[in-house]
Amino acid sequence: MQQQPEGVERRTEPVTVRGAVWKPVAWTIAAAAVMVLGVRMAFAVEFYGDAVFTRVAASAFTIGIGFGAVVFGTLRLRTRVRVFPDRLEAVVGLGRKDVVLPGDVVVIRPTGAGHVGIGGVTGRRRRGFVANRFDRHYDVLADWLRDNAAGPWASYQDLLGKLTHLTRPRVAYDLVTRVLAFVVLVPSLALLPALVSLGAYDDAHIRTTSCTVESAAGGIVSNRSSRGIGSSHSAVFFETNDCGQLTFDRGISYDNRDEIARHYDEAPGPYTFEVGAASFWIRENMPWVPFSPEVYSIGSPR
């Protein structure tokens, strides 16, 4: 260990090396909210009606996603290195605190994209610590390693000099990446429970509305309801001037779809449609969404 230079005050208080806390805190809070939503879905009998399997499956999926995100946030929150004059106290993820003494570190290696992180391994074959060169107080950790892990630190510095690595934080890149992850990944993960929940809600909440049919045609539709996501089957598509496109697939088969479609196509005008309340609400309030509400039954005008 190098001697403390004369005239320089010896540091006695520990310094914590870690990244910004607000990011994992915000992530964990949002993930916990997703878990709460999943629990709420499990007891939303009025919302799902008789679709018990759909309610349980959508709830379990949502809780699972939220739990995984909570674990990820917790890992980030716990990971840190406390630098003392005579030791390091490191926590990595859910592991217990590891005390690293001078001479314990046998390997230091770059980690992460751009080699912005470092990982230290002790002679006890445990991961001693992990840190990021852009973390707060990283310079204090670097000074400790230079003084107390001279051989491994020198080897790490020599290796790092031969690698391509980042020299400054990519603030704009990281921000864009997080935004894209939020607006793409999160909605994608929510798509499955949202679709099955929408179908179950429609089945339990049917409303009657009057729409003016302009034309009708038979075709194939991919099911988005709880009766088989992704399956394809025959349907009749109605084009209306006041309700947009409507899809009718109950009792429709390949053999009868064209005949049924022709019946309405040759007799346009107003009809009453029983539709799912949620699907039709989306059509009324978000017409820009490419979505065709499902029809449960068709009747003559009142």
Side-chain angles (χ1 to χ4, degrees):
M1 180 186 300
Q2 296 182 0
Q3 298 295 324
Q4 188 74 12
E6 294 184 5
V8 178
E9 184 178 355
R10 183 178 177 85
R11 178 177 50 81
T12 58
E13 294 298 322
V15 174
T16 300
V17 182
R18 67 178 306 162
V21 176
W22 69 267
K23 296 177 183 177
V25 168
W27 177 275
T28 304
I29 292 174
V34 172
M35 288 188 63
V36 171
L37 174 61
V39 173
R40 179 67 183 89
M41 292 167 63
F43 297 96
V45 178
E46 182 179 350
F47 182 97
Y48 286 94
D50 296 331
V52 178
F53 176 81
T54 298
R55 171 164 55 88
V56 173
S59 172
F61 183 87
T62 304
I63 292 174
I65 293 297
F67 178 77
V70 166
V71 171
F72 177 78
T74 303
L75 294 176
R76 296 290 300 276
L77 279 172
R78 283 180 51 83
T79 299
R80 62 188 180 276
V81 181
R82 299 191 75 197
V83 182
F84 293 81
D86 60 342
R87 68 189 187 279
L88 303 178
E89 292 184 357
V91 177
V92 180
L94 297 179
R96 65 179 182 174
K97 181 175 67 177
D98 189 13
V99 177
V100 181
L101 300 175
D104 279 355
V105 179
V106 295
V107 177
I108 302 175
R109 56 197 174 202
T111 62
H115 307 299
V116 297
I118 62 171
V121 180
T122 68
R124 297 183 299 276
R125 294 187 178 181
R126 294 176 53 198
R127 175 183 281 181
F129 64 90
V130 294
N132 189 295
R133 290 187 287 116
F134 301 142
D135 286 348
R136 294 184 58 187
H137 305 306
Y138 172 80
D139 57 327
V140 177
L141 174 61
D143 290 341
W144 193 95
L145 293 172
R146 185 188 63 245
D147 295 340
N148 298 283
W153 181 250
S155 298
Y156 163 74
Q157 292 286 75
D158 181 63
L159 174 62
L160 193 64
K162 301 175 183 178
L163 300 175
T164 301
H165 60 277
L166 297 177
T167 57
R168 64 182 62 186
R170 298 180 297 180
V171 179
Y173 175 84
D174 291 342
L175 178 61
V176 171
T177 301
R178 291 189 178 93
V179 170
L180 288 177
F182 180 80
V183 301
V184 175
L185 179 61
V186 173
S188 297
L189 291 175
L191 185 61
L192 177 60
L195 287 179
V196 297
S197 297
L198 179 65
Y201 185 88
D202 279 349
D203 290 345
H205 301 80
I206 298 175
R207 58 174 286 187
T208 301
T209 185
S210 178
C211 302
T212 303
V213 174
E214 294 182 326
S215 64
I220 299 294
V221 65
S222 294
N223 204 333
R224 55 85 183 157
S225 73
S226 58
R227 289 178 295 277
I229 294 177
S231 62
S232 298
H233 55 276
S234 297
V236 173
F237 299 99
F238 293 93
E239 296 294 340
T240 70
N241 63 6
D242 44 5
C243 301
Q245 187 184 78
L246 303 174
T247 301
F248 183 46
D249 60 2
R250 294 174 181 265
I252 303 299
S253 65
Y254 178 82
D255 296 328
N256 66 11
R257 67 183 186 189
D258 293 331
E259 181 182 353
I260 294 176
R262 189 181 309 111
H263 169 77
Y264 292 101
D265 189 60
E266 294 176 353
Y271 291 87
T272 58
F273 292 88
E274 287 191 338
V275 294
S279 299
F280 203 75
W281 183 91
I282 294 175
R283 166 53 52 81
E284 289 180 318
N285 295 275
M286 294 183 288
W288 43 270
V289 176
F291 188 74
S292 179
E294 183 178 356
V295 174
Y296 289 80
S297 66
I298 309 170
S300 300
R302 294 179 180 176

